[in-house]
Amino acid sequence: MKRWGDLSQEAADHLAAGSVLDHAEMAVVVTDRFSNLLYWNPFAEKLFGRQGKSPARDASVLSLGIMEKDHPLAIELAKHVLKGGVWEGTFDVRRGDGTIVYVRAQAVPLRHTSGSVTGIVIMAREALRSNEREKDRFGLLERIGERLAGSLYVEETLKRVAEMLIPQFADHCFIELMEGDRLVRRVSQHVQGWTPPSGTWKPVGAEIRYPSGHYADTALRRQETILVEDFATSRYPAPHENSARLCGEIGMTSAIVAPLLVRGETLGLMYLGLSNLTDRRSPHYDAFDRDFVGAIATRVALAIDNALLFEEERHTAESFQKHLLPRALPKLDGLDIAVRYYPAAPLASHGQGIQTQVGGDWYDVIPLSAGRVGIVIGDVEGRGAKAAAIMGQLRAALRAFAQDDKSPADILARLDEWTRIIATPEQDDNGADVSVPPIVTCQYLVYDAWSRQLSFANAGHAAPLLLVDGQCVELDIEEVGQPLGVRAKGLHADLVYKEETRTLPPGAALLLYTDGLVDRRPGRDGRMPSEAETLGVLCDKLAKMSDAEVERVADAATVAVPGEIDDDMAILVVRSSDVDLDVEERTFPAQPIMVGEARRMAAEAFSGWNVPEERAELACLLVSEVVTNVVLHAATANVPRRELMVEGPPLPFEESWDMPGYEDELVGDKEFTLRLRRGEDSVWVEVFDQDLRLPRIRSAGENDEGGRGLYLVDQLAKRWGSRPTREGKAVWFEIPTRGR
């Protein structure tokens, strides 16, 4: 007779390690010291969604589907166990079919007979599906809270909720939120590969009305989690006949409905259901499941509330900034323009709470005199509504300053003074003013499409990128001034901001940007790429499309640098015309007889450009008025100092100014230049002279012979003005050729 415990050969074979592991209701995975898979049992195939597959040679344990955010956890597991310790924790696992399950795992060292650790043995099971549910509950709730905290958008939050609950906890998940006094379905998620037929369960976006006495209605009214343990022993009114019929067809077995409560308000309902669509060990919920789902609903409600508050704040800030930026760009001759603005993604995990990330980046395109255009891009330090408000003030101030048509360096100097003026008033304990101006980087450019001349000044901003002939390089800037608001006291702004001039090649493009384009948050490896690296990536990609349309260039620049943006981002792309624009220019002596010559030149040019006769005659009339004004004032203009050289002995002072012909010679040296430009919808006329005095409209008396010329220009031209030049001034006006 065999002793107790003695086994037959058949029984011994049945209890071999391989046979036992094949029947174990727990996943068993074995790896070597380098975390390469050596073995997994059949239950592991099922748990990790790898049915029918054997471990690939040199496949890592990460290939089991452990989600990327838990990779550091897996590395910690390996380090701890290889030192001889025991590790226990929970992983998020994405199965082969795309579903997500929570897996509770315990890892122990695999030892050689000598005692050395040769590998790792991992035993795993689906969380909350074992006799240790109480032990798993708190850890899982913590992980669910972490996943929900990573989202600040309502739709993304709801999507994450459905991913967490199906298929691990439910076959069907509905989430309905209150919109006013209506309950609207926002989520309708079901087990993989099944969707409710049309006309049965309400789709996403539909209003939901549960009949009185329905368990969901009870949950909403009582504000408590309701459990339906077994539909076979319970009867509830159905929302409608088709819904009840579908429940019978798929064999609904159990359900839990939890209200979403936060701050004393009911945001909506979360509905979980089990049916015969899946084969589960227990197709019914119990009281433990009810309490657990209620705890999940509390975290879901808080996450949804945070997302709703964030979206409201973000919408307010974005609307604020949207109305501070240009709503539409002007149509300009010889220049194609594209712009982009993107706020940074929320700081969900930076320990700074909910931040909209809307900041002080801005751009602008300002029509100037005679078809010229002012182009600006800037960045106010900081984020949020305050930075956006400062940006709005600076943008408005710069537009006003630009209308004076002064040089870019002068404009930045005035904007620097304005930056100091708008600094928030603050005082120290002694009452002394300690206001700190905002720090602003800015670049202002003036482009003339007819001459292709680009004038600019820089206040600490990144240089634009020049795209031409398949290359992308930074625009050469010799003088980069200090950012606005940081100039040292006593240092005049004229010494800080310098004007430079370049000529753009035909068809060349400029990309102006704020630092959000090249700044990126650290990757998952914790490494933050340098600005030089990201700029190199950007230039490499833009060089391949240097000849593309500006909209495509802007789109390409937006996605060229990988990673999540760390700051708001503004992009402005301009491309010069590859054809020359029509222009006529001629210099005349400042003599009355030249008024007719100037008018004749204008008439011939307008005729050659096919300007409508009525518009051409109006433009010629105003040419006469402006040129006449220049000629009449040339004789009274201040005579520039000249060195007087006469032969013979020095003359008395009085006689030196009465030399015959000397005064005539000086006045005769006066000249004016007439420049005519044609655009697609307008013609521009400019008259240049050496007089520094800018013209102004006078109120002519009833018997005055003059004083009405500029008034006539003001009434008949679409726009007119004057600007200082290095030699004197320019008076200009615009006449539309396609209607007023």
Side-chain angles (χ1 to χ4, degrees):
M1 184 176 193
K2 291 185 178 180
R3 292 176 300 172
W4 179 258
D6 289 346
L7 300 175
S8 65
Q9 184 62 39
E10 180 181 356
D13 293 341
H14 182 68
L15 292 177
S19 299
V20 172
L21 292 178
D22 286 347
H23 291 87
E25 289 291 316
M26 173 179 284
V28 178
V29 178
V30 181
T31 76
D32 61 15
R33 290 184 57 84
F34 305 102
S35 296
N36 296 318
L37 291 174
L38 301 177
Y39 167 83
W40 66 43
N41 69 342
F43 192 86
E45 295 181 11
K46 179 180 178 181
L47 177 63
F48 295 108
R50 301 294 192 271
Q51 285 89 341
K53 298 181 180 179
S54 299
R57 186 174 183 179
D58 297 332
S60 168
V61 69
L62 299 178
S63 65
L64 291 174
I66 297 174
M67 296 184 68
E68 187 174 355
K69 69 182 185 63
D70 282 344
H71 286 184
L73 205 60
I75 295 172
E76 177 189 336
L77 176 155
K79 290 181 178 178
H80 185 75
V81 174
L82 290 175
K83 292 179 181 178
V86 176
W87 186 94
E88 188 170 354
T90 306
F91 290 108
D92 290 6
V93 172
R94 187 181 296 276
R95 289 170 165 167
D97 59 3
T99 58
I100 296 175
V101 295
Y102 293 97
V103 173
R104 187 73 178 175
Q106 184 182 55
V108 298
L110 178 66
R111 296 183 182 275
H112 189 264
T113 53
S114 64
S116 62
V117 178
T118 60
I120 301 172
V121 179
I122 302 173
M123 294 158 285
R125 51 185 165 72
E126 187 177 349
L128 294 179
R129 287 293 177 263
S130 73
N131 294 327
E132 300 185 26
R133 294 192 297 175
E134 291 287 349
K135 184 178 179 181
D136 293 342
R137 176 175 179 177
F138 298 105
L140 261 181
L141 281 176
E142 182 180 352
R143 293 185 65 79
I144 288 173
E146 290 175 356
R147 287 205 68 197
L148 290 176
S151 171
L152 290 176
Y153 297 94
V154 174
E155 294 302 326
E156 183 180 352
T157 300
L158 297 178
K159 179 182 177 183
R160 290 192 179 189
V161 171
E163 285 182 348
M164 289 187 302
L165 300 177
I166 293 179
Q168 187 156 12
F169 302 130
D171 297 332
H172 312 278
C173 174
F174 300 107
I175 298 179
E176 288 122 19
L177 299 183
M178 299 298 299
E179 295 183 6
D181 58 351
R182 301 166 62 241
L183 191 63
V184 178
R185 181 156 291 170
R186 300 291 294 272
V187 169
S188 177
Q189 187 89 3
H190 310 276
V191 287
Q192 192 82 2
W194 186 86
T195 55
S198 176
T200 54
W201 289 343
K202 294 285 188 179
V204 172
E207 181 179 359
I208 305 300
R209 296 178 181 271
Y210 291 109
S212 179
H214 192 278
Y215 51 93
D217 179 67
T218 303
L220 198 60
R221 285 188 294 102
R222 294 184 183 177
Q223 294 191 348
E224 65 181 48
T225 304
I226 300 297
L227 165 67
V228 180
E229 191 166 351
D230 191 349
F231 279 112
T233 61
S234 307
R235 292 290 182 270
Y236 296 96
H240 52 83
E241 183 179 345
N242 291 342
S243 173
R245 186 173 63 252
L246 180 61
C247 289
E249 291 176 357
I250 64 175
M252 289 291 294
T253 57
S254 189
I256 298 176
V257 182
L260 302 174
L261 305 174
V262 65
R263 295 185 290 111
E265 289 187 43
T266 302
L267 300 182
L269 288 175
M270 183 174 70
Y271 180 110
L272 302 180
L274 296 175
S275 69
N276 292 331
L277 293 176
T278 57
D279 182 17
R280 297 177 182 270
R281 176 183 299 176
S282 175
H284 300 280
Y285 291 123
D286 57 19
F288 174 85
D289 295 319
R290 177 194 60 199
D291 296 341
F292 183 69
V293 171
I296 292 177
T298 300
R299 287 158 174 76
V300 169
L302 185 61
I304 292 175
D305 186 55
N306 285 341
L308 290 171
L309 291 174
F310 170 76
E311 287 194 353
E312 181 180 355
E313 179 187 353
R314 184 179 179 86
H315 176 72
T316 300
E318 287 183 351
S319 297
F320 177 47
Q321 180 153 31
K322 180 180 178 181
H323 286 82
L324 291 176
L325 293 172
R327 295 192 181 185
L329 297 176
K331 184 178 180 181
L332 301 166
D333 289 297
L335 205 60
D336 293 328
I337 304 175
V339 295
R340 297 288 187 274
Y341 173 79
Y342 298 96
L347 292 177
S349 59
H350 285 210
Q352 302 181 38
I354 297 176
Q355 291 195 8
T356 62
Q357 290 295 82
V358 174
D361 290 15
W362 94 94
Y363 58 83
D364 209 348
V365 178
I366 309 168
L368 300 177
S369 62
R372 295 156 62 248
V373 57
I375 303 169
V376 61
I377 193 159
D379 186 359
V380 179
E381 184 183 50
R383 295 170 178 145
K386 181 179 179 180
I390 294 173
M391 175 271 288
Q393 296 180 71
L394 292 178
R395 176 176 173 256
L398 191 145
R399 288 188 71 92
F401 298 155
Q403 299 308 312
D404 289 344
D405 259 332
K406 292 188 176 180
S407 70
D410 290 336
I411 298 297
L412 288 188
R414 294 187 64 183
L415 197 62
D416 177 70
E417 294 295 337
W418 185 254
T419 303
R420 299 167 187 275
I421 292 174
I422 64 175
T424 304
E426 295 182 11
Q427 294 181 339
D428 60 14
D429 296 338
N430 299 323
D433 183 17
V434 291
S435 300
V436 179
I439 299 176
V440 184
T441 65
C442 181
Q443 178 143 328
Y444 180 63
L445 311 91
V446 175
Y447 181 64
D448 187 333
W450 281 263
S451 65
R452 304 187 191 280
Q453 189 176 78
L454 182 73
S455 303
F456 57 88
N458 189 297
H461 201 80
L465 300 180
L466 177 64
L467 282 68
V468 60
D469 296 334
Q471 294 183 327
C472 176
V473 296
E474 286 189 300
L475 185 67
D476 178 32
I477 299 179
E478 297 177 0
E479 297 283 348
V480 176
Q482 296 177 352
L484 306 176
V486 300
R487 174 170 52 88
K489 290 185 178 181
L491 184 63
H492 197 272
D494 291 345
L495 302 176
V496 178
Y497 306 113
K498 302 294 184 180
E499 180 181 359
E500 300 181 44
T501 302
R502 303 285 186 273
T503 300
L504 286 186
L510 277 179
L511 185 142
L512 293 81
Y513 63 93
T514 57
D515 54 9
L517 179 62
V518 293
D519 286 348
R520 288 295 183 270
R521 292 182 183 173
R524 296 191 179 276
D525 58 359
R527 180 180 176 276
M528 180 180 294
S530 67
E531 184 173 328
E533 291 175 334
T534 54
L535 188 60
V537 172
L538 178 64
C539 286
D540 288 343
K541 294 188 177 180
L542 293 182
K544 300 174 182 177
M545 53 188 317
S546 61
D547 297 328
E549 297 178 354
V550 290
E551 293 290 343
R552 290 185 57 205
V553 173
D555 289 337
T558 301
V559 299
V561 181
E564 193 172 30
I565 63 176
D566 195 43
D567 197 359
D568 54 334
M569 174 175 66
I571 300 174
L572 192 151
V573 184
V574 296
R575 185 181 295 283
S576 65
S577 174
D578 54 2
V579 297
D580 294 332
L581 304 184
D582 292 326
V583 59
E584 294 285 346
E585 183 176 325
R586 181 179 168 188
T587 300
F588 301 89
Q591 300 174 0
I593 195 173
M594 292 295 111
V595 175
E597 288 297 320
R599 179 165 180 157
R600 185 177 299 108
M601 169 193 165
E604 292 175 355
F606 296 149
S607 176
W609 293 342
N610 296 319
V611 176
E613 183 177 355
E614 178 185 355
R615 297 296 175 186
E617 290 181 358
L618 175 60
C620 289
L621 170 63
L622 300 187
V623 166
S624 297
E625 294 296 334
V626 175
V627 170
T628 298
N629 189 71
V630 168
V631 171
L632 289 178
H633 290 86
T636 60
N638 293 330
V639 178
R641 292 189 176 185
R642 299 176 55 176
E643 184 178 359
L644 180 62
M645 300 293 295
V646 294
E647 295 181 0
L651 295 174
F653 178 79
E654 294 81 2
E655 296 181 14
S656 66
W657 293 102
D658 293 331
M659 290 183 61
Y662 179 68
E663 184 178 355
D664 294 339
E665 177 187 348
L666 290 179
V667 175
D669 284 347
K670 294 292 183 179
E671 297 176 333
F672 70 88
T673 299
L674 176 64
R675 179 189 293 165
L676 310 173
R677 295 178 165 187
R678 183 180 71 161
E680 185 175 350
D681 299 318
S682 299
V683 292
W684 284 272
V685 175
E686 293 177 284
V687 180
F688 300 84
D689 68 355
Q690 293 80 40
D691 189 357
L692 298 176
R693 297 171 297 177
L694 299 179
R696 60 183 178 86
I697 300 176
R698 294 187 301 160
S699 298
E702 192 174 314
N703 298 319
D704 291 344
E705 294 183 1
R708 298 177 179 82
L710 288 181
Y711 176 79
L712 196 64
V713 174
D714 182 63
Q715 294 297 309
L716 298 180
K718 180 180 180 181
R719 291 192 306 153
W720 80 279
S722 60
R723 69 175 188 273
T725 64
R726 292 182 179 179
E727 295 79 17
K729 71 172 182 297
V731 181
W732 61 274
F733 62 84
E734 176 186 356
I735 297 293
T737 56
R738 298 183 181 180
R740 179 64 176 172

